[in-house]
Amino acid sequence: MAGSTTSFNAEELQSALVNLENVKDVEGVEATNVETAHFQRIMVVTTVDQYLNCEVAGVAFDIAESKGGKVSLLNVVPSAFDGVGLAAAGPMVTAVPFVATDDAQIIEDRQDQLVELKTACGSNVETEIEVRSGQIEEVIVAYAKEFDADLIVVGSRNRSWLEAFLDTSVARKVTRSALCPVLVVPEPA
């Protein structure tokens, strides 16, 4: 073959990554701690599915604890249903009658759910709780910028390949629009 390409096996790559992680004094890096330089501000996008939220938040809290970071739990109340019903609101809508609900009560309920989630996770990580209203993907991306998120963590329900192909999820839309990395945590089997 013209030109030589180097090939490495998985053990060699893992060893190289471990060696890089053990480097404390990196030339050109200021006096920051290399181990805690990333993922200091982790934003968790929550839904009304508390089981999935526990999984997603658990991952975020573990990362934050290991990196000395901060977590923000965000829930978005969809706006502008325009009379089409709860189905149009997607996975972040509460299971309450549409006509009998006002946004203030939904927001208060979501804040209570996030406080319960934080308590259930049992983490001592500094945590902000934020509930906003608006177009889901737009609010998530805007809040990530405002929060100065280093990482966005979202959950994804297990779906068949056909459902995933036909339905664009919030996780997929956020992944395309976000200015920082997005970690998608699958629903446990």
Side-chain angles (χ1 to χ4, degrees), residues 50-125:
Q50 287 296 79
Y51 181 67
L52 181 57
N53 289 344
C54 282
E55 293 295 320
V56 174
V59 169
F61 283 126
D62 288 347
I63 294 169
E65 286 173 6
S66 71
K67 300 294 185 179
K70 176 179 183 175
V71 169
S72 178
L73 301 174
L74 172 69
N75 190 279
V76 182
V77 177
S79 64
F81 292 125
D82 294 331
V84 291
L86 293 176
M92 295 195 181
V93 70
T94 58
V96 293
F98 177 67
V99 294
T101 305
D102 73 45
D103 285 348
Q105 184 61 48
I106 293 174
I107 289 171
E108 185 178 323
D109 290 346
R110 300 282 176 90
Q111 287 171 331
D112 292 343
Q113 288 174 347
L114 295 181
V115 169
E116 290 172 15
L117 176 63
K118 163 76 167 101
T119 303
C121 288
S123 176
N124 293 324
V125 169

Side-chain angles (χ1 to χ4, degrees), residues 52 55 154-158 184-188:
L52 181 57
E55 293 295 320
V154 298
S156 179
R157 290 188 171 87
N158 293 328
V184 179
V185 178
E187 180 180 39

Side-chain angles (χ1 to χ4, degrees), residues 78-189:
S79 64
F81 292 125
D82 294 331
V84 291
L86 293 176
M92 295 195 181
V93 70
T94 58
V96 293
F98 177 67
V99 294
T101 305
D102 73 45
D103 285 348
Q105 184 61 48
I106 293 174
I107 289 171
E108 185 178 323
D109 290 346
R110 300 282 176 90
Q111 287 171 331
D112 292 343
Q113 288 174 347
L114 295 181
V115 169
E116 290 172 15
L117 176 63
K118 163 76 167 101
T119 303
C121 288
S123 176
N124 293 324
V125 169
E126 181 182 349
T127 306
E128 288 183 14
I129 292 176
E130 187 71 29
V131 178
R132 297 202 173 178
S133 175
Q135 296 296 327
I136 296 171
E137 297 81 13
E138 292 172 11
V139 171
I140 292 168
V141 172
Y143 182 70
K145 186 175 181 180
E146 181 182 320
F147 179 67
D148 196 24
D150 297 318
L151 177 67
I152 299 172
V153 183
V154 298
S156 179
R157 290 188 171 87
N158 293 328
R159 300 183 287 175
S160 72
W161 69 269
L162 183 59
E163 289 171 317
F165 178 75
L166 296 175
D167 180 34
T168 57
S169 68
V170 170
R172 185 177 304 183
K173 291 177 182 177
V174 170
T175 302
R176 285 190 211 139
S177 304
L179 300 176
C180 65
V182 177
L183 174 62
V184 179
V185 178
E187 180 180 39

Side-chain angles (χ1 to χ4, degrees), residues 7-19:
S7 176
F8 297 97
N9 68 30
E11 289 176 6
E12 292 170 325
L13 290 173
Q14 174 121 17
S15 176
L17 288 171
V18 168
N19 287 335

